Amino acid sequence: EPEVTQTPSHQVTQMGQEVILRCVPISNHLYFYWYRQILGQKVEFLVSFYNNEISEKSEIFDDQFSVERPDGSNFTLKIRSTKLEDSAMYFCASSAGTGLYEQYFGPGTRLTVT
Amino acid sequence: GQNIDQPTEMTATEGAIVQINCTYQTSGFNGLFWYQQHAGEAPTFLSYNVLDGLEEKGRFSSFLSRSKGYSYLLLKELQMKDSASYLCALFNQAGTALIFGKGTTLSVSS
């Protein structure tokens, strides 16, 4: 069964450093998403991406965040200058369409900012 | 805006039936989803409802009443592996983002 993959599984970085989280969505999917989950809290939407541009972003997704689809398979989330409060599990998801299409989640990258 | 409420925790016994409730407020309804999340893992899709009524999928069923802003997930013949968090989620108005509740942690004991 096709699945979303994410690398790395765990990333430790120092405050102020840039990090890039990588995702490979399911190959025939057209819509891509990033969510995050701070430990013990709910899953929060960050951004959705379609046709090489951002469809929607949440208040969390400020100027420190950016997304890119650098080639036909990867989808990345960049945090320019990490803060302690960016420590969380970051999930990538993809779907074949919007609306009632299921979003498939990757296993997540645990980001720890020290 | 959107708001979702779920009980924080529930406990049940193996073989039993449990109902996890979700109430919500939204300015534009585009569908309600249920996801399962085991500790340290990604959410996995269980079911969705867009029309009122019951949707059945094996041991799992989900019910929706749009007029009451209410849904529930029914789990039958509980197994130990059903111990997980169950997340109620709404689509935003544009249908481009899932807005999750805080989740209900279900503990199944033998």
Side-chain angles (χ1 to χ4, degrees), chain B residues 16-27:
Chain B
I17 300 173
V18 71
Q19 178 176 311
I20 301 174
N21 295 325
C22 170
T23 57
Y24 65 88
Q25 297 87 40
T26 180
S27 50

Side-chain angles (χ1 to χ4, degrees), chain B residues 11 13-14 33-34 36 50 52 56-57 68 87 95 99:
Chain B
T11 58
T13 307
E14 216 174 359
F33 290 72
W34 285 96
Q36 180 190 60
V50 62
D52 290 353
E56 296 189 77
K57 273 183 124 181
K68 295 182 180 176
L87 315 181
I99 308 302

Side-chain angles (χ1 to χ4, degrees), chain A:
Chain A
E1 186 175 332
E3 58 183 18
V4 176
T5 59
Q6 290 185 242
T7 54
S9 57
H10 191 186
Q11 173 94 46
V12 181
T13 189
Q14 288 189 326
M15 197 166 51
Q17 296 297 303
E18 174 183 286
V19 294
I20 298 176
L21 310 182
R22 303 180 191 280
C23 167
V24 179
I26 293 172
S27 62
N28 62 343
H29 284 185
L30 301 175
Y31 295 81
F32 315 119
Y33 314 85
W34 284 100
Y35 293 83
R36 82 171 185 190
Q37 187 174 29
I38 296 170
L39 189 63
Q41 298 188 23
K42 65 180 180 181
V43 177
E44 300 175 289
F45 168 75
L46 293 178
V47 66
S48 58
F49 190 87
Y50 167 71
N51 199 26
N52 280 320
E53 58 184 32
I54 290 173
S55 307
E56 184 143 3
K57 58 184 181 179
S58 71
E59 292 175 352
I60 302 168
F61 195 88
D62 61 22
D63 292 343
Q64 292 300 311
F65 291 88
S66 62
V67 289
E68 190 179 28
R69 188 153 163 83
D71 54 43
S73 59
N74 289 284
F75 179 50
T76 62
L77 174 70
K78 181 193 290 186
I79 309 175
R80 289 191 184 81
S81 178
T82 50
K83 301 183 268 237
L84 293 176
E85 54 264 38
D86 293 327
S87 294
M89 182 76 93
Y90 287 81
F91 294 109
C92 173
S94 69
S95 64
T98 56
L100 296 174
Y101 285 87
E102 177 185 344
Q103 291 187 17
Y104 292 80
F105 283 73
T109 292
R110 179 161 296 288
L111 177 65
T112 303
V113 182
T114 62

Side-chain angles (χ1 to χ4, degrees), chain B residues 36-87:
Chain B
Q36 180 190 60
Q37 186 179 29
H38 284 99
E41 298 183 10
T44 55
F45 171 80
L46 289 177
S47 70
Y48 74 82
N49 296 74
V50 62
L51 299 176
D52 290 353
L54 190 68
E55 292 285 340
E56 296 189 77
K57 273 183 124 181
R59 294 191 300 116
F60 297 83
S61 303
S62 57
F63 172 84
L64 174 68
S65 169
R66 287 172 296 170
S67 62
K68 295 182 180 176
Y70 169 68
S71 174
Y72 67 72
L73 180 69
L74 194 70
L75 293 79
K76 303 174 188 174
E77 301 169 16
L78 280 173
Q79 302 173 11
M80 299 294 284
K81 67 178 182 179
D82 297 329
S83 293
S85 286
Y86 291 86
L87 315 181

